[in-house]
Structure formats: C-alpha cells, structure tokens
Amino acid sequence: MDNQFLLFKQGEIILPYRRIIDTDTAYCDSRSYKPYRTKIMSLLDNCFSVDNLHESFMDIRKSIHFKYSVQNYRINELREISRFRTAYKNGTFAFSESKPFKLKERGHERLIHPIVFRDRVVIHAFCKYVLLPKLTPYLIYDNCASLKGKGIDKSLDRFKVHLQRYYFHNKTNHGYILKGDCRKFFDNLQHDIILDSVRGILDDEEIDFLRLILKENEIDVSYMTDAEYASCMNTVFSSIEYNAHDYPKTGDKIMRKSVGIGSEASQIIGLFYLHDIDNYIKIVRGFKYYGRYMDDFYIIHEDRQVLIDILDELKRRYKAVGLEINNKKTQISRLEKPITFLKTIFILTDTGKIIKRKCADTFKRERIKLKKFAYKLDAGDMSYKAIDSQYRSWRGNVSCKGYKNYRQVSRMDKLYNELYIKPFVEGSYAGSVRINSK
C-alpha cells in the first residue's frame, strides 16, 4: 500500500455528518489524517444527530423566539431531542396532529396546515441535511421559489434578464410570451409520483421518512362512491371545498394526494415535482427563456405557433402527473404589450428598455391596510411604531429595484401623512389615541 494512506478497520473511526460508500475498509490521507468513512450511516446518526437537531432548532427559532411553544422547546430541548431519537429508533415516532386554518392572501383563500414546533425541528433537519442537498442539483437555475438566495425578487430579475436577452438576440420587442399556472397545485401532488421520482436519489430509509411525512397529508374520502374513488386521482381536488363539509371519515377509502401548505417539506416537494418537465423544456426543446416560480411558468419565443404547440405538450405532460393547467390564467400575449408576472408589470419598449412597475392591487391593498390601522390606533389596539415600521417596509419594497411607481408612492405618502402625521401636527392626538377620529 502507498505510504500516504493508512488503513483503518470498519467502525473504528466515526465522523459526524458525512456519508460514505458501503465497503469493508476506510482510507485516510496520512498528511491530513481525515478518514473517508466507508460505512453507510443510518438516518438517525446522520441527519437526526443531536448536533443537527440543535442547529435545526436554532435556525427556525430566529423569527419566532417569543412564542410559548418555542420557549418551552428551548427549556426542554435535550429532553425533546432524546424523546424523538428514542421514538424514531424504536419505530414508534408519529407526527402530532394539528388543526388546519384558513388564510386569505391577496384575495385567495388558502388552507394552511400548521406543524407543531417539535415536528418542525425534525422536518427542517430532514430538509436541510437530506432533501435540499440531494434534490436541488436536479433543478434548473430558473426554478426560483423557496430556495436560499432565491425567491420572488430573484425570479423577477431572471424574467427581466430573459426579456433583455430576447431583445439582444432578436433586435426587436416583437414576439410572444406564454404564461400559465396550475389549478390547486399543492392539493393535487400525488404521493406515489413523488416517491417514484426520488427513488434512486434518496436512500430507502430516507424514502421511508418522506413517506411518513406524506402520510400525514393523506385525504380520507370514505364519502365517495366506488366510481368517484376510482377516478379521484385524475380529477382536481380542492382542500378548501373538502374542509367546508363535514364528511364522515371512517378510513375505508384513502386518497394518497395533496401536500399541506405550511410545511417546509411541501415547498421542496413542489419545487422538485415538475423537474422532469423543466428539463424537458430547457434541454430537450431548447427554450432558453423559460422560468418557473412554483406553479407559475412562462416561455418567451418569437413564433406564436411554437408556443401553441408547446402548450398542448405541457397539458399532456401535466395531466400525466395528476395536474391540470388553469385555462383561465394561461394565455399567449404579445411582448410589446405590458406583461404581468408575479404581481409585477413589465414593459419592453422598442428600444430595449424595460420598465418595471407594481400592480395597482399592491397599492389598493396597502391603502386599505392604512385605513384599518388608523381605526386600530384609535382603539389602542395597535401602536404607531408598528404602523410606521410596516409602512416603511412596504414603501421600501415598491420604491427600490428599479420600480417606476413615483406617482402611486406619492399618493400613498399623502394618505399616510393625512392619517398619522397631520393629526400629530394639529394636536388632535391624546397620547396614542386620536381625539377627533373619523
């Protein structure tokens, strides 16, 4: 054997957090004395080690450290970690039940499935040390949702870059764009397709834990007839409509579909679910100006007929994975006209300049908020400091990054001054409450 290597017997050296191949011996570089592990570690020793669970807790507690559940977990952290590791080792671990609630966001009603904090720590560790490092290499660069260093701003920047590159290569703003999204995206992600897509990427034990996460999102459809149950995987499911009715739940018929909004694992699953279609469009079909933000996607091309053909192909491929493209929100429009993507308006001029503005709904919602906050301030339910912080944050978002919203922002400043600054100047405030409030 070469002198620069030392031989160690299996099991003598254990390094945390590193995976190794399944051989009988391990080798170490004698100059660095860093052994290469050769025994495949279990999920309990690798992902769910004490250090990893502690780091997971420290990650997710940053913005919610004031909550009772977080403080209680912090006090009993070692006990909670030991309890989970023991239950997982014995095969008795199960996620805690939680009650879903409805949330209205930008006019859309969504059903949120909250995760108990102790389970959030476990799921975050599984996402951080297993799902993200193993699944993200298969994602395209222009898949920008729910990843570190990406998000809405990144997706908007990439959309702007694609418009600029299209103009640079074609020397014109004449062209077409296909925009679309899916109906009830998270409600119709099929569990079997998810598990089949990660087979060969994740280990058997990791797939079993992912199956345990998906099992919490199974839908009891015992109320369905045999004919309805036979076709339920091919029809669009809505969790809002399902929870609006008090259906009997006997456990006789289970639909293995839907992932709840509110879990970090659901976001990563949503990213990875369509990765085959993303690579088909980018690599096989060669569409350079393609991007996706979860279920919203766009394709830019100079030929309208090409976009019509690819839309038909996308409908077929989406249907094969249990999804349906929303025909009401899917359209092919001209590039020279204003384009709305992720609540942002883009205008590509004939000189190649790109004008970016926020939608009118953005200012309408903030105007309503400021008026409601004024009533809460009068009633003493909200402090001026909180209102000022919210407005400054919103204003900074719509004023930076090249947005051309000067007139709209000026009108919002005028409303803010009339509601909050002017009463202070005129002396119509008594303490934190206005005297003559309208």
Side-chain angles (χ1 to χ4, degrees), residues 29-251:
D29 190 337
S30 61
R31 293 168 296 182
S32 60
Y33 298 98
K34 294 181 180 179
Y36 298 93
R37 298 202 37 204
T38 58
K39 180 181 177 181
I40 295 181
M41 298 181 66
S42 66
L43 192 64
L44 184 67
D45 295 329
N46 186 18
C47 174
F48 298 138
S49 66
V50 177
D51 288 344
N52 285 357
L53 290 174
H54 173 69
E55 290 181 8
S56 174
F57 164 67
M58 297 301 292
D59 287 343
I60 63 179
R61 70 174 287 271
K62 293 178 181 178
S63 60
I64 54 174
H65 59 87
F66 56 90
K67 292 187 176 181
Y68 170 78
S69 59
V70 181
Q71 296 181 8
N72 186 51
Y73 186 94
R74 183 180 181 182
I75 295 172
N76 303 284
E77 181 181 2
L78 293 179
R79 185 181 292 108
E80 293 285 355
I81 292 176
S82 176
R83 185 183 303 167
F84 161 73
R85 286 171 55 85
T86 301
Y88 181 77
K89 186 176 182 180
N90 298 333
T92 59
F93 171 74
F95 290 103
S96 304
E97 294 185 3
S98 58
K99 186 177 180 180
F101 62 92
K102 294 180 181 179
L103 177 68
K104 265 198 171 182
E105 181 187 15
R106 297 179 179 179
H108 298 282
E109 194 175 42
R110 307 180 188 276
L111 190 69
I112 307 299
H113 296 265
I115 308 297
V116 178
F117 185 78
R118 65 168 65 94
D119 294 340
R120 285 186 61 188
V121 175
V122 176
I123 292 177
H124 180 72
F126 183 69
C127 294
K128 181 178 181 180
Y129 298 105
V130 176
L131 294 185
L132 284 175
K134 290 193 173 185
L135 299 185
T136 50
Y138 294 87
L139 305 180
I140 63 173
Y141 183 74
D142 291 312
N143 188 353
C144 298
S146 302
L147 291 175
K148 187 176 181 180
K150 294 187 178 182
I152 292 181
D153 288 341
K154 179 66 175 181
S155 185
L156 294 175
D157 290 341
R158 291 297 299 171
F159 184 76
K160 182 178 179 180
V161 167
H162 287 163
L163 289 176
Q164 291 173 333
R165 290 180 179 176
Y166 177 87
Y167 184 89
F168 176 78
H169 288 291
N170 295 276
K171 309 301 181 183
T172 180
N173 65 340
H174 295 292
Y176 300 89
I177 179 171
L178 166 64
K179 295 189 305 174
D181 71 346
C182 299
R183 291 183 59 194
K184 307 297 180 182
F185 179 67
F186 286 100
D187 289 341
N188 292 275
L189 301 185
Q190 299 186 11
H191 298 177
D192 293 337
I193 294 179
I194 296 171
L195 296 174
D196 290 340
S197 63
V198 299
R199 208 175 303 278
I201 303 176
L202 304 183
D203 298 335
D204 293 340
E205 189 178 0
E206 295 166 347
I207 293 177
D208 291 339
F209 191 80
L210 179 59
R211 184 181 290 109
L212 186 63
I213 295 176
L214 295 175
K215 187 176 179 61
E216 296 299 311
N217 296 280
E218 292 178 347
I219 308 298
D220 190 338
V221 290
S222 302
Y223 66 93
M224 287 185 176
T225 63
D226 293 339
E228 291 175 340
Y229 183 66
S231 61
C232 67
M233 299 300 290
N234 299 321
T235 57
V236 177
F237 170 74
S238 174
S239 58
I240 293 290
E241 297 177 1
Y242 175 80
N243 284 270
H245 300 83
D246 190 14
Y247 291 120
K249 301 177 182 179
T250 61

Side-chain angles (χ1 to χ4, degrees), residues 381-397:
D381 297 333
M382 198 170 186
S383 66
Y384 171 74
K385 183 178 180 182
I387 298 173
D388 183 66
S389 177
Q390 187 276 338
Y391 181 70
R392 287 177 181 271
S393 175
W394 175 87
R395 192 183 188 282
N397 179 263

